[in-house]
Amino acid sequence: MQVQRQTWEEVQEHFSDLPGESMTRKTMLPLVEYLAESEIGSYLFPWISMYDLRITQALHYPSDGPHLVISSLRDGQLEFRYIDTFRKDRQWSRVVPASSANARFEKFVEQLHWLQSSTRSES
């Protein structure tokens, strides 16, 4: 099964359409807006699964392949979970305040060399 790729604008619209008091809207929308405008976002491919943001490095990746899931938590934090195995205890996971989401995302991309790999493959 292939991921139905969405544009950053579609993802941004999805989170913008949530009720204004929604914790998911409050925590996810600033990150999505940042990614939609950033160079980092231009090299990555998002899609939405319910209220989670999922991101992969490759356009035509199977939906069960390695990807990052970002979820809004009830306490106003965001969970970053890298799904590269079905064993939850072996998945990389970080919970951060929403205000730290951009920096955490940049660190994640740096750790996995996603941006470097993307720019190399286009040369």
Side-chain angles (χ1 to χ4, degrees):
M1 171 192 261
Q2 297 294 320
V3 168
Q4 179 60 43
R5 179 194 180 286
Q6 296 173 301
T7 66
W8 284 109
E9 292 75 23
E10 291 170 321
V11 171
Q12 188 172 349
E13 184 177 322
H14 170 80
F15 288 108
S16 293
D17 287 346
L18 295 175
E21 67 279 356
S22 162
M23 184 58 70
T24 300
R25 183 180 200 267
K26 289 177 184 178
T27 57
M28 294 292 280
L29 190 55
L31 176 61
V32 170
E33 289 172 340
Y34 165 74
L35 293 173
E37 298 297 322
S38 73
E39 182 179 3
I40 293 171
S42 68
Y43 292 106
L44 301 174
F45 303 96
W47 75 100
I48 300 163
S49 176
M50 295 296 286
Y51 296 107
D52 296 333
L53 172 61
R54 295 175 181 259
I55 302 171
T56 189
Q57 181 186 18
L59 175 58
H60 298 293
Y61 231 67
S63 61
D64 61 349
H67 62 281
L68 176 65
V69 179
I70 304 172
S71 305
S72 178
L73 304 177
R74 291 182 186 191
D75 63 0
Q77 297 190 90
L78 292 173
E79 178 187 31
F80 288 70
R81 180 172 296 277
Y82 185 60
I83 310 293
D84 60 348
T85 176
F86 289 112
R87 293 204 41 201
K88 194 169 185 169
D89 63 323
R90 291 192 176 181
Q91 295 169 357
W92 174 94
S93 176
R94 299 289 185 276
V95 174
V96 299
S99 61
S100 301
N102 296 2
R104 177 68 262 175
F105 187 86
E106 289 177 7
K107 185 71 173 167
F108 172 83
V109 168
E110 179 184 309
Q111 288 172 329
L112 285 185
H113 306 287
W114 270 14
L115 189 57
Q116 293 169 357
S117 297
S118 297
T119 55
R120 260 197 311 256
S121 66
E122 290 182 357
S123 316

